[in-house]
Amino acid sequence: MRITMVGTGYVGLVSGACFSEFGHDVICVDKDASKIARLENGEIPIFEPGLDALVESNAKAGRLSFTTDLAEAVPGSDAVFIAVGTPSRRGDGHADLQYVYAAAKEIGTLLEDYTVIVNKSTVPVGTGGEVEAIIRDVKPALEFDVASNPEFLREGSAIEDFMRPDRVVVGTSSERARDVLRRLYRPLSLRETPILFTERTTSELIKYAANSFLATKISFINEMADLCEAVGANVQEVAKGIGLDGRIGSKFLHAGPGYGGSCFPKDTLALLKTAEDTGMPLRIVNAVVDVNKMRKEALADRVKSMLDGSVSGKTVAVLGLTFKPNTDDMRDSPALDLIPALVNEGATVRACDPEGVEQARPMLPEITYCDDAYEAIDGADIVVLLTEWNAFRALDIPRIKSLLTAPKMLDLRNVYRADEMRDAGFTYQSIGRP
Ligand code: UGA
């Protein structure tokens, strides 16, 4: 089958490459000519493990190509996916749909035959209807369907998530569109992946409900971690103890510095906006957002309390800057709360990150970037482990002790064991563990 993928951001590029791996012919379209030129040269604009090899092999096989010209792609496609950005609109937190609507209009002008337009961008409930109205307006006589097909890809394991998803959700009431989507995802149904067919608005809401529920699990366990600290309990064992209950599940119960990234913060806010607009407030999601915000804002105080109440004149080594490992993405990373707060209070910050430095530099210009953990720690008064990259999981503890002015570590990801660090002579604090 032939697919057009509009937008070569994270979702569009991963989905396009994976559909071509399924054997479909995929043309990825983006208005950014330099991006398309780079992709044509085999350069991948984002860091995602395995994506470069997938793009290379499918481009070589002639199943995956790139263009800036939508007119080259749309006519003759069985499905046109919209995978453009929906950033938070400045000021009100609503998802900004201008790119989705612009894409819909342009696609509409180019459609010649029955086609399914599939929304993969994360869009508020009702957007599919708007897209349909826009296209109907440009091509009143044409037969087409607009379906919703949200993505559930995690950065860092996006290819695995696409190839072996827990489920695929498709929202459309048209049997013809269902058939097209069924054929596109056929390789997955052979693996018995559940494909949930539902109505379009329900499908749109499933995406927000899924991300908001996952964010809820995180804020819940983070609050439990605070309670554990107050009563002397261990949050990792609490997570295990509740997670073994199949109704709760063990995933997404890692306490930490608060969730970040391009999805949870944006999508929880957008869902709250939708709820507010319909007069149906979502008190739980509201609390989840508040808990997360306050948690990130309180990170600097934890460092301060380990440095006798003041960071002024002190040097803090920060290991990890991205919002999670295996990505170069800095969006809404806890580093963006922690580091400016430390610098404002007079600390010197030395930081390192395996992939995030290029994105971090313009956002955090006031710090020293180091090549590795040991360089960052050299001469520091405390080490803060912020992102659990593999490179920070087996540090040479005696070596970092000798590099620090005093052996202090704040482990915001519970990577190390408290007893081992204590035995090594460290003042060590982690999240929700005695
Ligand atoms: C998230 C969802 O997991 C994907 O299913 C979804 O498709 C995607 O958003 C999206 O909407 O596009 P992602 O933002 O890449 O994926 O990252 P996650 O692995 O979900 O992590 C998000 C944040 O939660 C990170 O800051 C991470 O450190 C934090 N987290 C995650 C925790 O603090 N504890 C956990 O137990 C899990």
Side-chain angles (χ1 to χ4, degrees), residues 1 13 62 139 194 211 219 264 298:
M1 298 181 84
L13 193 54
K139 281 277 160 74
N211 273 0
S219 277
F264 290 171

Side-chain angles (χ1 to χ4, degrees), residues 219-374:
S219 277
F220 177 85
I221 203 67
N222 281 340
E223 278 204 321
M224 283 301 131
D226 290 347
L227 185 59
C228 284
E229 284 170 26
V231 301
N234 183 325
V235 75
Q236 282 178 312
E237 288 168 19
V238 170
K240 197 166 185 187
I242 62 172
L244 284 168
D245 184 329
R247 292 170 300 175
I248 296 174
S250 59
K251 291 180 182 165
F252 271 69
L253 287 177
H254 298 289
Y259 60 78
S262 65
C263 306
F264 290 171
K266 171 174 79 79
D267 293 351
T268 44
L269 284 183
L271 184 62
L272 285 177
K273 264 297 168 208
T274 303
E276 201 184 298
D277 290 353
T278 52
M280 177 63 237
L282 295 177
R283 287 185 294 264
I284 293 174
V285 181
N286 216 349
V288 166
V289 170
D290 272 353
V291 166
N292 196 58
K293 183 168 176 282
M294 282 159 60
R295 185 164 196 84
K296 286 166 149 183
E297 286 168 359
L299 291 174
D301 286 342
R302 280 186 178 250
V303 181
K304 228 156 81 178
S305 77
M306 288 185 75
L307 291 172
D308 308 320
S310 170
V311 295
S312 179
K314 300 282 173 55
T315 299
V316 181
V318 176
L319 308 187
L321 294 166
T322 50
F323 77 100
K324 66 172 191 177
N326 294 324
T327 175
D328 58 354
D329 201 334
M330 283 294 297
R331 283 176 284 180
D332 275 304
S333 168
L336 300 175
D337 290 271
L338 171 67
I339 291 176
L342 293 173
V343 171
N344 282 343
E345 296 209 24
T348 299
V349 174
R350 297 168 61 79
C352 65
D353 189 282
E355 295 293 337
V357 171
E358 198 182 316
Q359 281 203 26
R361 264 185 216 281
M363 296 174 169
L364 299 166
E366 62 284 78
I367 65 174
T368 304
Y369 290 93
C370 303
D371 286 339
D372 65 21
Y374 301 103

Side-chain angles (χ1 to χ4, degrees), residues 4-62:
T4 296
M5 188 65 67
V6 184
T8 58
Y10 200 82
V11 173
L13 193 54
V14 171
S15 307
C18 289
F19 274 128
S20 67
E21 180 71 12
F22 284 173
H24 302 305
D25 288 322
V26 180
I27 309 181
C28 292
V29 188
D30 204 294
K31 285 205 176 319
D32 183 340
S34 66
K35 207 172 180 188
I36 291 297
R38 284 175 68 189
L39 283 164
E40 280 179 323
N41 284 328
E43 279 176 57
I44 307 297
I46 52 170
F47 175 78
E48 179 61 35
L51 186 58
D52 44 0
L54 204 66
V55 169
E56 191 190 337
S57 64
N58 283 290
K60 211 178 249 171

Side-chain angles (χ1 to χ4, degrees), residues 167-229:
R167 79 317 202 172
V168 171
V169 174
V170 174
T172 171
S173 47
S174 151
E175 198 39 58
R176 199 168 173 190
R178 287 181 181 191
D179 185 54
V180 170
L181 270 301
R182 205 178 276 124
R183 282 191 284 144
L184 285 177
Y185 281 109
R186 199 176 131 76
L188 293 182
S189 54
L190 295 176
R191 283 189 200 139
E192 298 192 3
T193 302
I195 300 192
L196 174 70
F197 288 104
T198 179
E199 294 302 313
R200 198 166 55 201
T201 45
T202 306
S203 166
E204 289 168 341
L205 187 55
I206 285 172
K207 167 68 191 193
Y208 284 100
N211 273 0
S212 298
F213 190 80
L214 292 169
T216 303
K217 279 188 109 173
I218 299 169
S219 277
F220 177 85
I221 203 67
N222 281 340
E223 278 204 321
M224 283 301 131
D226 290 347
L227 185 59
C228 284
E229 284 170 26

